[in-house]
Amino acid sequence: GQQVMQIPQYQHVQEGEDFTTYCNSSTTLSNIQWYKQRPGGHPVFLIQLVKSGEVKKQKRLTFQFGEAKKNSSLHITATQTTDVGTYFCAGGSNDYKLSFGAGTTVTVRA
Amino acid sequence: NAGVTQTPKFQVLKTGQSMTLQCAQDMNHEYMSWYRQDPGMGLRLIHYSVGAGITDQGEVPNGYNVSRSTTEDFPLRLLSAAPSQTSVYFCASSYELVGAGGRDTQYFGPGTRLTVL
């Protein structure tokens, strides 16, 4: 079955620095979604990418979908304390299932 | 709109007990799903439904049953609780089927934290 791998598992960032989390699938995806989960909370939708090579930005967050639709990345610039949480990618397939990566948990040093 | 609601928020069971986790949504979404979240393993799909009367298994269905008699409700039943089922359970719904690439954004409920002793 489809597997989505996400790295790194943990990211410790100095406030103001940039970082990137990566997502890789063993199969071609129909789409990819990104979610953020604050500590003690539930996953909240951030963005969806559908087209090959697609790039979308949300303020300091940049999301990319690979040309082969098998990988994706989330890049955050000038990290702030509000960025703390776990970021999940989730790959969609044509069998109506969404496969989540294990997540990247981000902590920020002020 | 209340969105996706789940009850209870916390539950402690003894091994062998059964219980039902409730999930409801008021957004008229066709697609609903149940996930469990364990440390370091992300969210794993237990069961999902593409509409009233239609359910199917996800990645980790053993020990769980679901039914979908109405569009709004999607309860998850633990038949005979085991310590391995200690987890946080999330229910989610979306307007379109997952993978459609359109309006298949998943809206998550607040979760149920289950401990099995």
Side-chain angles (χ1 to χ4, degrees), chain A residues 9-10 30-31 33 35 37 40-45 48 50 86 88 91-103, chain B residues 31 35 37 39-43 45 48 50 57-58 90 97-111 113:
Chain A
Q9 186 175 359
Y10 298 99
S30 57
N31 63 334
Q33 300 175 358
Y35 292 80
Q37 184 178 24
H42 58 275
V44 175
F45 175 79
Q48 174 171 256
V50 180
T86 300
F88 293 98
S93 62
N94 293 330
D95 61 355
Y96 312 132
K97 296 175 184 175
L98 202 62
S99 294
F100 280 80
Chain B
Y31 185 95
Y35 295 90
Q37 184 174 35
M41 302 191 73
L43 292 147
L45 183 65
Y48 66 99
V50 299
Q57 296 181 350
F90 288 102
L97 302 181
V98 163
R103 293 177 290 176
D104 60 347
T105 302
Q106 297 280 289
Y107 293 86
F108 284 84
R113 284 153 179 78

Side-chain angles (χ1 to χ4, degrees), chain A residues 11-98:
Chain A
Q11 185 79 54
H12 308 289
V13 187
Q14 181 71 41
E15 191 174 15
E17 290 184 341
D18 304 349
F19 75 90
T20 304
T21 174
Y22 300 90
C23 192
N24 293 290
S25 171
S26 57
T27 59
T28 301
L29 302 170
S30 57
N31 63 334
I32 195 154
Q33 300 175 358
W34 285 88
Y35 292 80
K36 178 181 179 181
Q37 184 178 24
R38 295 185 184 277
H42 58 275
V44 175
F45 175 79
L46 291 177
I47 207 160
Q48 174 171 256
L49 304 170
V50 180
K51 299 177 183 177
S52 170
E54 191 170 13
V55 178
K56 288 188 176 181
K57 292 188 176 183
Q58 286 182 350
K59 297 183 180 179
R60 296 178 294 103
L61 278 61
T62 301
F63 303 84
Q64 291 187 324
F65 201 9
E67 294 290 341
K69 300 182 74 173
K70 285 187 173 183
N71 57 73
S72 181
S73 65
L74 160 60
H75 181 77
I76 299 181
T77 59
T79 303
Q80 299 177 358
T81 55
T82 54
D83 296 323
V84 164
T86 300
Y87 294 83
F88 293 98
C89 62
S93 62
N94 293 330
D95 61 355
Y96 312 132
K97 296 175 184 175
L98 202 62

Side-chain angles (χ1 to χ4, degrees), chain B residues 1 11 22 31 40 54 57 62-63 67 81 95 114:
Chain B
N1 286 352
Q11 183 70 50
Q22 301 292 342
Y31 185 95
I54 307 171
Q57 296 181 350
N62 292 342
S67 60
Y95 186 77
L114 176 68

